[in-house]
Amino acid sequence: MSELKVFADNAPQQPLEHLTDKAAMAQVLARAGIRYEQWQAGQSLSEHPQQEEVIAAYRADIDRLIAAEGYQSVDVVSMVPDHPEKAAFRQKFLEEHRHSEDEVRFFVEGQGLFTLHIDDKVYEVLCTKGDLISVPANTPHWFDMGANPRFVAIRLFNNPDGWVANFTGSDIASHFNRLD
Ligand SMILES: CSCCC(=O)/C(O)=C/O
Ligand SMILES: [Fe+2]
Ligand code: NI
């Protein structure tokens, strides 16, 4: 189940808000400048879909977002619990970082915990199947896929260099929740 917890960034013990209603989540996140919405597949997917099939299934929503934001590229990234490098992939995004472009991810399957540090608030967004989140360029954030990650996500972007994580050097992520 998707959920949003909002904290004061100096008080990780007690959330100020805890929401599971997706419309309410979208409203709170929109006020912080975060796009959060649900997409519907335009066609069913086979059991082990390749990238082209996944993109074709969500073509309508992908094209709508490209028209709105001008992203140049689309691809698909996935992780499975028996991936030999899962620990290294998890660690890559666990500390607070920024990107030079928007981080736009749609969850075709599975889940991931995006935590956004905006002004003096921390927004923990558990995204699940059907959720789209867009983190604006240069927003401090971290991401936890969990110890046994399982997700298939569509990425919209302009330049792969935009994925480079520019770490802030803060240890704030260590004070907040991980994906169990
Ligand atoms: C669903 S992939 C998310 C990992 C990533 O690209 C990133 O930068 C997380 O902060
Ligand atoms: Fe990131
Ligand atoms: Ni600390």
Side-chain angles (χ1 to χ4, degrees), residues 123-148:
Y123 299 79
E124 289 183 352
V125 194
L126 177 58
C127 293
T128 61
K129 177 174 179 172
D131 287 349
L132 178 281
I133 187 168
S134 178
V135 179
N138 300 311
T139 301
H141 67 282
W142 53 96
F143 173 79
D144 190 8
M145 58 181 75
N148 293 297

